């Protein structure tokens, strides 16, 4: 990843301020009433306050446990409203990345405090803030060095949360995670599923998945043209793969549509709307889509179709109108991600 530019750093600083404000907010939520010694066994008071273990069990449990055990000493308040707590130290020494890791540590402490005092829904909600700040920290890692605000120095939080996607276990051993990316150079959004988790890649965009380096990576992706009601137009295009997460760095999958298919646009400049689309008319691979294309001279997306040397297109419309595009007129470039625009006159 390239080092961040000054505008990007300023933007990151804004994120830091926003996140730090949120940390202050949820750390203080519920600290509205002072407990007395007789309240210790009641709801809202912690069973223990030491830093020897992490009780939280929920989303992002491992990373919260890892960074809290690595960031000792700290102390949980004896109950809601009590002031006998101790925040973890601040470990940053000037790195931009440090601000995010320190914010994640404070957020993790708040999660543990809320969990021990019975505020479990709030703890689970704020666990996502921990992961978000660490994601920001991961984004600031470089393959060559760490993004710092000083020269010849190492980020102070590196021993708590190392760079390159390594998550501390609290015992000195680390599990390295790496990233895979899926890009969409096609003409319609693509749904990508990796090891059971799905994301939608918009046209011209990229999504990322993170997993343990060297572990199995099974993915399935699919796309098609669709009507405004969500009905499929043309053919379903799919990709399948059985790979592994890279041992280092990032692996990118480019979800290109092969030259065996083409995507069809239609512009209706005639005096009638079309009602039926037949691609590869009269061939074994013929497809029929009952779709209306209004005669408004707007370019409409339809779907993906088989690309042959003798492919053709037939449109039928109101009042028995027919428009034919012969194979000699349908000149495809025979390349990946190819498309054709049929202008109806």
């Amino acid at each position: 990843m390239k080092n961040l530019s000054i505008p990007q750093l300023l933007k990151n600083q804004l994120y830091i301020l926003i996140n730090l404000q949120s940390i202050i907010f949820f750390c203080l939520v519920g600290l509205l009433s002072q407990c007395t010694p007789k309240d210790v066994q009641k709801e809202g008071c912690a069973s223990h306050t030491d830093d020897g273990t992490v009780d939280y069990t929920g989303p992002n449990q491992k990373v919260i446990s890892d960074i809290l055990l690595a960031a000792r000493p700290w102390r949980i308040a004896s109950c809601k409203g009590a002031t006998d707590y101790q925040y973890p130290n601040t470990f940053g020494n000037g790195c931009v990345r440090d601000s995010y890791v320190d914010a994640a540590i404070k957020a993790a402490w708040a999660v543990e405090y809320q969990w021990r005092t019975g505020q479990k829904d709030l703890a689970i909600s704020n666990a996502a803030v921990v992961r978000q700040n660490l994601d920001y920290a991961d984004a600031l890692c470089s393959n060559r060095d760490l993004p710092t605000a000083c020269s010849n120095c190492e980020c102070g939080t590196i021993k708590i949360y190392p760079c390159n996607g390594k998550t501390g276990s609290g015992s000195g051993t680390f599990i390295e995670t790496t990233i895979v990316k899926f890009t969409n150079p096609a003409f319609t959004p693509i749904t990508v599923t990796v090891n059971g988790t799905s994301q939608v890649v918009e046209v011209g965009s990229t999504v990322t998945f993170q997993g343990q380096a060297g572990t199995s990576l099974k993915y399935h992706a699919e796309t098609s043209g669709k009507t405004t009601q969500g009905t499929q137009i043309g053919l379903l295009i799919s990709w399948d793969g059985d790979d592994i997460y890279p041992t280092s760095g990032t692996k990118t999958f480019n979800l290109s549509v092969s030259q065996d298919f083409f995507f069809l646009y239609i512009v209706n400049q005639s005096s009638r709307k079309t009602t039926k689309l037949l691609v590869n008319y009269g061939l074994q691979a013929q497809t029929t889509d009952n779709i209306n294309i209004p005669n408004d001279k707007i370019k409409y997306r339809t779907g993906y179709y088989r690309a042959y040397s003798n492919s053709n297109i037939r449109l039928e419309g109101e009042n028995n109108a027919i428009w034919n595009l012969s194979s000699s007129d349908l000149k495809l470039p025979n390349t990946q991600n190819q498309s054709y625009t049929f202008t109806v006159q």
Side-chain angles (χ1 to χ4, degrees), residues 298-335:
I298 294 176
K299 186 177 181 179
Y300 286 92
R301 294 189 299 182
T302 62
Y304 300 92
Y305 301 94
R306 295 291 303 190
Y308 300 111
S309 59
N310 59 341
S311 286
N312 62 74
I313 301 171
R314 177 186 175 96
L315 281 169
E316 298 178 1
E318 297 174 313
N319 301 322
N320 298 317
I322 295 176
W323 299 267
N324 286 304
L325 187 73
S326 68
S327 57
S328 59
D329 294 322
L330 180 59
K331 297 177 180 178
L332 298 172
N334 197 34
T335 59

Side-chain angles (χ1 to χ4, degrees), residues 234-257:
L235 304 174
L236 180 71
I237 304 297
S238 63
W239 300 260
D240 288 281
D242 191 347
D243 211 307
I244 63 170
Y245 277 94
T247 55
S248 63
T250 299
K251 180 180 290 186
T252 300
F253 296 92
N254 196 33
L255 299 175
S256 293
V257 179

Side-chain angles (χ1 to χ4, degrees), residues 58-76:
N60 303 308
Q61 174 184 346
K62 185 180 187 311
V63 73
I64 288 173
S65 176
D66 290 348
I67 62 176
L68 280 180
L69 293 175
R72 291 176 291 190
W74 43 264
R75 177 182 171 84
I76 295 298

